[in-house]
Amino acid sequence: MRHRVLPVGRAGFAGGPAVRKPASSKREPALARWAIAGLGLVWLVLASGCATIAAEDCPKVDWYQLGVKDGREGRPDSRLHEHRRACREVGVPPDERAWTAGRFEGLRGYCTLGNALNEGRAGNTYHGVCQGPIEPAFRELHAAAYAVHEAGRRVRDIESQISSRERDLRKDGRSDRDRERIRSEIRDLDRRRESARSDVYRRERDLDYVRQRYRI
């Protein structure tokens, strides 16, 4: 939607008497340059916050050890592209062969059934990085454990909402009508919490079944 721009008057707000000619426009280019510089600084801060490697660290990276670390964390192979972008401005390309060998070694520690259970319970996403016969079992165990984590998170979210509404109920100056409305919301949240707790029980039972199948 296009907005109509109102003329700026002498009082310094839109809608006042319009100024026909500006006294001086010399400050405008300088202000524009400062604005552009400020935006550039913000962009650099945001970009550095998202970079996988600090630019000054790129020349001294041990690419094999970085690959081992990425593998142990279950990072997908696209992680190397992120490293390449992080080090592009300083002209340091990654050692792809060393990183790949290290990641392969790291994945050997990551792709275990015990770790599938731990990663799922921690709520960490599985990126499909495991290969071979273990992959279907890893995926199934991780999914079952992750479902338990998510069910528990929903219970905690509802409990946080209940606590918030109970604090509102204790505030002074509430009308009887407001208090009854808040009590009704708390009762509804209590019912939702009981349902969510039942879901946690079901998810844990499903996880126990999968663990028994794989004897873990």
Side-chain angles (χ1 to χ4, degrees):
M1 183 177 75
R2 300 181 66 181
H3 298 280
R4 183 168 62 92
V5 179
L6 296 176
V8 178
R10 290 185 178 86
F13 55 87
V19 178
R20 293 176 181 271
K21 294 181 180 180
S24 174
S25 61
K26 291 181 179 180
R27 294 180 60 193
E28 293 180 3
L31 290 173
R33 287 194 297 270
W34 277 106
I36 292 171
L39 288 173
L41 180 60
V42 170
W43 184 87
L44 286 173
V45 171
L46 292 175
S48 63
C50 297
T52 57
I53 306 170
E56 61 271 19
D57 292 335
C58 291
K60 52 189 177 184
V61 168
D62 183 328
W63 291 101
Y64 178 84
Q65 289 302 324
L66 182 58
V68 171
K69 177 178 180 293
D70 288 339
R72 287 174 178 168
E73 294 175 356
R75 303 287 186 179
D77 55 10
S78 60
R79 185 73 167 179
L80 182 62
H81 302 306
E82 298 175 22
H83 296 329
R84 181 175 285 110
R85 284 197 300 269
C87 295
R88 182 176 296 158
E89 290 190 7
V90 292
V92 178
D95 186 335
E96 185 170 350
R97 180 175 295 182
W99 181 87
T100 300
R103 177 173 172 269
F104 180 79
E105 180 64 27
L107 286 175
R108 293 177 62 184
Y110 176 86
C111 296
T112 66
L113 296 186
N115 195 53
L117 187 65
N118 294 336
E119 288 287 302
R121 281 195 175 276
N124 297 327
T125 301
Y126 172 53
H127 297 286
V129 296
C130 299
Q131 299 178 0
I134 198 173
E135 202 283 333
F138 188 102
R139 184 180 296 274
E140 187 175 3
L141 262 170
H142 178 275
Y146 187 85
V148 172
H149 172 271
E150 288 297 286
R153 182 184 59 79
R154 286 189 289 271
V155 171
R156 292 189 295 273
D157 288 346
I158 294 171
E159 289 177 339
S160 177
Q161 294 177 55
I162 290 173
S163 296
S164 176
R165 301 311 286 149
E166 288 176 340
R167 287 193 298 270
D168 289 341
L169 187 62
R170 291 192 294 267
K171 289 180 179 178
D172 296 333
R174 292 284 186 187
S175 66
D176 292 341
R177 185 174 181 178
D178 279 346
R179 292 184 185 280
E180 182 53 37
R181 175 179 55 80
I182 294 172
R183 290 190 185 99
S184 177
E185 292 175 359
I186 292 174
R187 287 192 294 270
D188 180 62
L189 287 168
D190 275 330
R191 288 190 290 268
R192 289 173 54 191
R193 177 171 59 182
E194 289 307 309
S195 176
R197 284 173 172 170
S198 296
D199 189 48
V200 171
Y201 171 76
R202 288 191 296 270
R203 300 298 183 179
E204 287 180 340
R205 185 178 57 191
D206 292 343
L207 176 58
D208 287 341
Y209 173 73
V210 176
R211 293 183 65 178
Q212 289 173 13
R213 284 179 54 203
Y214 294 108
R215 298 180 180 179
I216 182 172

